[in-house]
Amino acid sequence: MAFATNGAATIHYERMAAGDGPVVILLAGAGRPSTDFDYSFCAPLVAAGFVPIRIDSRDTGRSTALAGDVPDLHAIKAAALGQGDAPPPYGIADMVADVLAVMEAEKIGAAHLVGRSIGGLVAQQLAVQTPGRVLSLSLVMAMSRSMADAVPDAALDRLAADHIPDEDAYVARQLGVAQANGMVADFDAGRVAEEARTAWRHGVHRGGTARHFAASLAAPDLRPALGALRVPTLILHGRHDKVIPVARALETAEAISGAIIEIDEQMAHDGPPRLRAAWGTRIAAHLAGSPNTT
């Protein structure tokens, strides 16, 4: 196992291929460990000569957990809307610093970045902060600013009450999430349960999803700064995404010069096997066509 250090945070990461090909850094969604980027996703990248490195964001997997920090999501939402001052336990910039620590540990000057949901926010902010270190962006379920103006209070209440004492409880939670956020045709209870157990055994931290959500609520509006980016960008989004509306992906594409956006009519806010394989194949083609691939 490999780890990098950023202050008090220890960040676990894993190379998914040997060799010295161009590096692709994989950043998962809120509260999700790096196992979401499984071998079916990584295989097309490896076949195309890339070296994927999947990262457990802080509060996921084998990386540092901040289990003692309980964010007041309603206060953070209000602050994001200009009402009061309630900072999250950590911000997107801290998660960017974690990724840069991995890059330093591996002596990576620049890399392709793939981000899913909040992982895409981290990728975009890293590109804005240190554009010379980003060869391309691939954003799945994309947003480029806080969702504070769109997320219902009931969703924050559910996150605040999210208590998962054991593996079976996590499986039950993920079955509910898959039914709520995915396409009916993709729901497979056995598959969802198996993937939930894989994630739990790799590392699911109490309150991690809420703390990630707090960071995304407090995220800055990146759109003005994104206009200066000149990196090949691909955005993949679902027409039926109820968590991040299509409008958020479209405005992200509009903010980044030359960005390609593809709206999948059979995709929601979920990543079943058929989509993971399709994303890997599409992103591999995007990277292979990038002028920054060396």
Side-chain angles (χ1 to χ4, degrees), residues 136 144 277:
S136 75
S144 51

Side-chain angles (χ1 to χ4, degrees), residues 4-21:
T5 301
N6 173 32
T10 299
I11 307 301
H12 172 260
Y13 62 95
E14 181 180 5
R15 280 182 172 257
M16 301 298 286
D20 57 359

